[in-house]
């Protein structure tokens, strides 16, 4: 389907929106299945009938066939990971899946990040260059080690770390770069790794939303020194809570293992006495591991379906003036933990994004604005004003740091224009996916009414 030849015509028409416009729109756009079915009805927000009435697949999903192994763990009385068992089986299976030599299971994605930062020798008073467009746990993992999260800017087209913005942020304190494959969108890793290697910085991938995402033939989580994953309940591979660290270096993963297990030496990382090294308890339980082991095939199948539906959505949505699907780096494949697009209100009679979100939700397509400029929410002020940070960083550095948050123009653009749907939409039938496109077209046709009401 290609209606791009009619784009200008279409644009002219939506400026003077009205209910009768849908008919003209159909004629102008030619034979397009999704477009042909644009309802002439009033927007649901103004009392019309919602385009989509059937709901969306529930998440998380579980299967009765999983019950015996969960019960086996219960009855075994072996719940703590100790050595071997289900957790070790999961680690081996997940390492194979991601295409790395080693995997260490952890209690959560946050603890995977904290452990990795420690293993890469990020210490109190250091700086880590990180994506600002992420779940808050990414910032917190750095702050908990009393290091400073220094934000690279976000490329508005890819919604991930802009590699060109890294180098100017490097200081003598910088130890690591932490790209985030947010929403399952792979970062453009080649230039990120190149600039990190040039300055001898560690690369820790936050792949907490990117199970099976690919960049140039390799999986996210296998592209830096260490990769971190989350298996929290909303995730594509869920076990309530859970996480993993992936990597190809025995030394690094053994170091992670020791730190996640009260500092106990293991493999290549051993000392003269049992407690020769610091650590915490960031271990996974066997209950989590059996849940995860049984979902690996499902993850692979679900990923295929999400990709097919996301590709179909992008192909259709990019035909709508004012809707810009995300651009993926060359030769990469996303896994769509959320499906985001950028919204340009000027093509919708100035309908504010928040009202667009309400209107789309009313049409039966729940959506949200996604991550906001959370670096202004207070946690960084609180950190910078804490006794510890004041001891570790000069007043001058902390002031420059706080001032620099205002410079994240690309990120602001993403935060103020994005609309996103959760991954479970992408597991629906194709007819339901088409409803998303229809609903957005309907809102565009009626955007003047919606903007005024
Ligand atoms: C990008 C990102 N990083 C880190 C985390 C932290 O993972 P967890 O919730 O398992 O601690 C999450 C979880 O949502 C995440 O989405």
């Amino acid at each position: 389907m290609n209606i791009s030849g009619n784009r200008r015509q279409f644009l002219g028409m939506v400026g003077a929106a009205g209910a009768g416009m849908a008919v003209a729109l159909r004629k102008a756009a030619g034979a397009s299945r999704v477009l042909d079915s644009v309802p002439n009805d009033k927007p649901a927000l103004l009392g019309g009938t919602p385009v989509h009435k059937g709901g969306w697949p529930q998440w998380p999903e579980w299967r009765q066939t999983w019950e015996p192994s969960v019960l086996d763990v219960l009855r075994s009385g072996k719940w703590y990971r100790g050595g071997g068992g289900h957790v070790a089986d999961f680690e081996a299976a997940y390492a194979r899946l991601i295409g790395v030599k080693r995997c260490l299971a952890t209690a959560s994605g946050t603890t995977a990040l904290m452990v990795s930062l420690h293993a890469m020798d990020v210490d109190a008073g250091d700086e880590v260059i990180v994506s600002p467009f992420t779940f808050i746990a990414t910032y917190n993992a750095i702050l908990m080690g009393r290091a400073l999260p220094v934000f690279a800017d976000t490329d508005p087209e890819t919604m991930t770390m802009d590699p060109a913005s890294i180098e100017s942020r490097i200081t003598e304190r910088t130890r690591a770069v932490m790209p985030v494959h947010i929403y399952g969108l792979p970062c453009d890793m080649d230039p990120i790794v190149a600039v990190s290697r040039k300055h001898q910085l560690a690369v820790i991938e936050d792949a907490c939303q990117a199970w099976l995402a690919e960049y140039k033939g390799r999986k996210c989580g296998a592209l830096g020194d260490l990769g971190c994953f989350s298996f929290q309940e909303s995730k594509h591979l869920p076990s309530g809570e859970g996480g993993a660290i992936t990597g190809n270096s025995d030394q690094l993963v053994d170091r992670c293992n020791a730190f996640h297990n009260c500092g106990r030496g293991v493999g290549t990382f051993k000392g003269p006495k049992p407690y020769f090294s610091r650590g915490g308890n960031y271990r996974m339980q066997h209950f989590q591991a059996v849940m995860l082991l049984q979902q690996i095939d499902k993850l692979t199948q679900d990923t295929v379906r999400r990709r097919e539906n996301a590709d179909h959505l992008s192909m259709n949505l990019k035909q709508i003036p004012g809707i810009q699907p995300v651009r993926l780096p060359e030769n990469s494949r996303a896994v769509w933990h959320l499906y985001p697009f950028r919204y340009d209100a000027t093509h919708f009679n100035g309908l504010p994004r928040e009202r667009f979100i309400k209107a789309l939700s009313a049409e039966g397509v729940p959506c949200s604005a996604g991550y906001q400029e959370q670096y202004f929410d207070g946690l960084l002020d609180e950190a910078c004003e804490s006794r510890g940070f004041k001891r570790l960083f000069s007043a001058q550095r902390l002031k420059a740091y706080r001032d620099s948050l205002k410079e994240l123009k690309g990120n602001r653009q993403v935060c103020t224009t994005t609309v996103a749907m959760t991954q479970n939409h992408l597991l629906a039938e194709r007819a339901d996916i088409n409803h998303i496109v229809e609903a957005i077209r309907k809102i565009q046709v009626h955007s003047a009414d919606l903007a005024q009401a």
Side-chain angles (χ1 to χ4, degrees):
M1 184 181 81
N2 182 358
I3 61 164
S4 53
N6 296 310
R7 197 177 158 89
R8 188 166 302 183
Q9 235 171 322
F10 178 79
L11 243 167
M13 286 190 303
V14 291
M21 196 59 75
V23 178
L25 194 61
R26 283 198 287 275
K27 280 188 193 147
S32 136
R33 188 168 158 264
V34 177
L35 192 60
D36 277 352
S37 53
V38 172
N40 217 348
D41 186 22
K42 273 198 292 194
L45 199 58
L46 301 182
T49 313
V51 171
H52 182 74
K53 295 182 213 74
W56 297 94
Q58 292 293 307
W59 196 265
E61 297 178 310
W62 61 278
R63 308 267 190 266
Q64 224 163 359
T65 52
W66 304 351
E67 288 179 3
S69 8
V70 178
L71 206 56
D72 280 352
V73 174
L74 179 71
R75 289 176 176 159
S76 73
K78 293 199 173 88
W79 304 333
Y80 146 78
R81 84 156 284 170
H86 302 290
V87 177
D89 292 347
F90 171 70
E91 289 170 339
Y94 200 68
R96 270 197 304 279
L97 191 72
I98 301 301
V100 287
K101 191 169 173 200
R102 297 282 303 276
C103 167
L104 175 78
T106 58
S108 65
T110 305
T111 52
L113 290 169
M114 289 166 60
V115 170
S116 297
L117 285 160
H118 175 83
M120 295 310 310
D121 200 23
V122 174
D123 209 343
D126 286 339
E127 298 184 8
V128 176
I129 297 179
V130 63
S131 298
F133 194 64
T134 182
F135 180 57
I136 205 67
T138 315
Y139 300 15
N140 277 328
I142 298 166
L143 290 168
M144 286 201 263
R146 301 294 184 269
L148 203 59
V150 174
F151 301 108
D153 206 356
T154 304
D155 177 339
E157 287 193 7
T158 62
M159 297 192 185
T160 56
M161 180 181 260
D162 180 354
S165 71
I166 296 173
E167 199 156 26
S168 63
R169 286 160 167 89
I170 296 173
T171 71
E172 58 185 11
R173 301 253 188 133
T174 310
R175 302 288 307 188
V177 176
M178 190 183 274
V180 184
H181 308 295
I182 200 67
Y183 297 161
L185 309 168
C187 297
D188 193 2
M189 288 300 289
D190 279 354
I192 293 174
V193 172
V195 73
S196 306
R197 295 293 174 246
K198 180 175 156 195
H199 294 274
Q200 291 162 348
L201 305 174
V203 178
I204 302 169
E205 296 173 77
D206 182 337
C208 283
Q209 299 187 4
W211 330 257
L212 301 186
E214 284 175 32
Y215 177 81
K216 302 194 175 170
R218 287 191 295 151
K219 301 268 189 330
C220 290
L223 303 164
D225 295 298
L226 292 170
C228 299
F229 293 86
S230 167
F231 307 127
Q232 179 270 341
E233 188 159 291
S234 66
K235 304 302 196 295
H236 297 191
L237 183 60
S239 55
E241 301 286 0
I245 300 169
T246 50
N248 284 307
S249 156
D250 286 324
Q251 282 77 13
L252 279 180
V253 179
D254 285 344
R255 220 178 130 86
C256 288
N257 192 334
F259 189 65
H260 107 298
N261 187 24
C262 306
R264 294 184 180 101
V266 63
T268 58
F269 190 69
K270 284 200 169 134
K273 299 221 171 179
Y275 297 110
F276 72 102
S277 174
R278 285 167 294 164
N281 174 0
Y282 304 121
R283 297 183 295 257
M284 179 180 272
Q285 302 184 54
H286 289 310
F287 285 110
Q288 293 162 287
V290 285
M291 293 279 289
L292 295 168
L293 271 166
Q294 296 180 93
Q295 294 181 76
I296 285 184
D297 289 346
K298 180 177 181 299
L299 170 69
T300 307
Q301 289 150 19
D302 288 350
T303 301
V304 171
R305 189 179 186 94
R306 287 193 195 95
R307 278 189 180 137
E308 285 171 359
N309 278 332
D311 288 349
H312 177 79
L313 250 187
S314 298
M315 187 184 71
N316 279 283
L317 291 184
K318 72 180 178 203
Q319 311 296 344
I320 303 179
I323 302 293
Q324 192 185 335
V326 80
R327 178 176 67 76
L328 298 177
E330 208 178 311
N331 201 1
S332 68
R333 300 211 294 169
V335 292
W336 310 105
H337 183 49
L338 267 76
Y339 179 91
F341 57 82
R342 281 178 51 224
Y343 169 75
D344 180 354
T346 59
H347 293 274
F348 286 74
N349 287 297
L351 180 72
R353 174 181 63 159
E354 283 58 39
R355 187 123 173 102
F356 172 88
I357 288 171
K358 273 194 184 139
L360 189 53
S361 302
E363 295 298 341
V365 182
C367 56
S368 71
Y371 298 115
Q372 296 304 295
E373 291 184 279
Q374 53 214 3
Y375 33 83
F376 294 132
D377 280 7
L379 85 161
L380 297 173
D381 295 329
E382 187 225 51
C384 290
E385 284 157 21
S386 69
R387 283 198 314 283
F389 272 77
K390 280 191 194 154
R391 269 189 216 123
L392 290 163
F393 296 94
S394 69
Q396 196 185 12
R397 176 66 187 119
L398 292 178
K399 180 177 182 321
Y401 173 71
R402 286 162 88 166
D403 288 347
S404 74
L405 302 177
K406 296 179 202 123
E407 289 162 14
L408 300 166
K409 295 199 175 76
N411 194 60
R412 177 162 315 137
Q413 221 178 316
V414 175
C415 291
T416 52
T417 58
T418 296
V419 176
M421 286 163 266
T422 50
Q423 54 88 13
N424 54 315
H425 289 71
L426 299 175
L427 295 174
E429 297 298 325
R430 186 55 59 85
D432 298 329
I433 300 293
N434 286 342
H435 284 163
I436 300 172
V437 184
E438 287 169 26
I440 294 173
R441 288 196 185 281
K442 181 178 168 188
I443 291 166
Q444 189 161 57
V445 166
H446 297 279
S447 51
D449 295 342
L450 280 161
Q452 274 163 24

